[in-house]
Amino acid sequence: MNMNTSALLLYCRAGFEADLGTEIVQKAADLGIYGYPSFSKQSGFVLFNCHQVDDAPRLVKSIPLTDLVFARQMLVCGAPIEFENLEDRIGTILAELDDAPLFGDVCVEHPDTTEGRALSKLCRKITVPLRQALRKSKQLTSKENLKKPSLHVFFSSGSNAIIGYSDPSNRSPHPLGILRLKFPSDAPSRSTLKLDEAIQLFIPQNEMSQRLAPSMQAVDLGSCPGGWTYQLVKRGLFVHAVDNGAMDAALMETGQVTYYAEDGFKFTPRKKQVTWLVCDMIEQPQRVAQLMANWLAKGWCKETIFNLKLPMKQRFESVQQAKQIVDKTLQQHQMRYQWQAKHLYHDREEVTVHIRILN
Ligand SMILES: C[S@@+](CC[C@H](N)C(=O)[O-])C[C@H]1O[C@@H](n2cnc3c(N)ncnc32)[C@H](O)[C@@H]1O
């Protein structure tokens, strides 16, 4: 593999390739780096081909993966390869790694699609002998070392792969970039996994006890039947749940939930010390963004996690518009804030946004 080859490989949910393509073109252009995306619809990945040699490693150093809404993983990669001899894929992979750096780990992966998942057996079968071969050729550390780049072999079919590496300081630690979570059997809805994933992704573990901790107050707009409230209750928070629907009875019995049958757009907090606002109302993204911005600007909460339901097309633009609304409102109040938006594994036609006031 020629490590100067200037392409990025980005993983995404199938069907969101065009959105990710638009996003990476724009974010690279913001840094003065130009290129073009290539992808097949429903493939679950995008290649971003930079015009200049060495631009892909620059991008990986400059764009945090957390800033890319639609990307689950980001790798510097070489040109796609075809295995002529299916009996010796490992030999072909090794031949591509001539001038590669020392890797600390190896991941053999596939797209997160129906066809891609059919390749998981092949990926598992190859991993151990590939690891052994790489150790023998001194291209892999003798023990897993996550401070070094990891080698990724991404099979797009049984006879085609893309070989790349992830940067230790800017990658998802999860296979295929997916944080898999077990559905808690006592949770009232599957939506619960979205908030669980968002909390784990957006709040560093070492800051959790300061930022999302027992006894804090939270408001959940559009709370029923209670999947998001469940996550907050489980973490010891007191929740003001707002919806016209019915809340899960077991959640109400915890004594940590107060229910309000009110319109989430008109609700005002009854307590002064609300730390968290979460919102899963299915509404126009601009309307939700403005509501979140208003709560933050009025000092009604310090942090918020909410979903933006996306249109069928121009989804990246829609997220940008929502951000502009927040930007305008918070700038008027001279408030600095951190914004993170991600198309989570448990999201479908929506993205999840986190905003935190910094001053
Ligand atoms: C996707 S569901 C929320 C699921 C919930 N987060 C969970 O995990 O169980 C959306 C909810 O928003 C509520 N909703 C929609 N518009 C609302 C409004 N204006 N005010 C209050 N609730 C609203 C709906 O009644 C519905 O229960």
Side-chain angles (χ1 to χ4, degrees), residues 106-180:
V106 57
C107 314
V108 184
E109 299 181 310
H110 55 80
D112 179 34
T113 60
T114 310
E115 301 77 41
R117 283 185 285 276
L119 297 166
S120 62
K121 204 168 152 197
L122 169 71
C123 294
R124 277 198 304 274
K125 201 173 121 195
I126 282 187
T127 303
V128 172
L130 176 60
R131 191 177 286 137
Q132 285 167 347
L134 287 165
R135 288 214 167 110
K136 202 169 160 202
S137 62
K138 304 260 183 285
Q139 286 169 297
L140 183 65
T141 50
S142 53
K143 281 189 194 150
E144 182 187 79
N145 183 343
L146 297 179
K147 291 185 179 149
K148 293 206 172 291
S150 292
L151 173 70
H152 295 250
V153 179
F154 182 79
F155 278 92
S156 52
S157 76
S159 54
N160 297 84
I162 300 167
I163 302 181
Y165 70 89
S166 58
D167 185 296
S169 59
N170 192 21
R171 64 180 166 208
S172 165
H174 309 295
L176 313 191
I178 295 173
L179 174 59
R180 289 186 190 277

Side-chain angles (χ1 to χ4, degrees), residues 177-305:
I178 295 173
L179 174 59
R180 289 186 190 277
L181 296 169
K182 199 167 171 289
F183 176 65
S185 56
D186 57 340
S189 68
R190 285 205 73 80
S191 296
T192 200
L193 296 177
K194 291 180 200 177
L195 187 60
D196 194 8
E197 184 181 355
I199 289 171
Q200 294 195 41
L201 181 73
F202 294 141
I203 308 170
Q205 195 53 44
N206 61 355
E207 294 178 18
M208 203 66 85
S209 62
Q210 301 295 314
R211 291 174 50 192
L212 199 153
S215 303
M216 284 180 173
Q217 302 282 334
V219 170
D220 182 356
L221 300 178
S223 56
C224 290
W228 284 31
T229 292
Y230 172 92
Q231 290 297 330
L232 300 168
V233 164
K234 201 176 80 174
R235 290 169 169 85
L237 282 81
F238 291 95
V239 184
H240 303 259
V242 183
D243 200 310
N244 276 312
M247 282 298 272
D248 177 70
L251 264 182
M252 296 307 297
E253 278 167 21
T254 61
Q256 286 169 248
V257 184
T258 316
Y259 172 71
Y260 303 85
E262 291 183 34
D263 181 348
F265 284 90
K266 295 187 184 145
F267 179 82
T268 54
R270 309 299 198 267
K271 295 254 182 189
K272 282 223 166 77
Q273 303 295 333
V274 174
T275 306
W276 276 95
L277 171 65
V278 298
C279 173
D280 192 19
M281 293 189 288
I282 298 168
E283 251 294 342
Q284 283 181 15
Q286 294 92 328
R287 210 172 159 221
V288 172
Q290 188 62 66
L291 182 69
M292 299 299 107
N294 292 346
W295 270 70
L296 292 162
K298 287 177 182 155
W300 286 355
C301 63
K302 293 183 180 143
E303 300 197 37
T304 173
I305 289 179

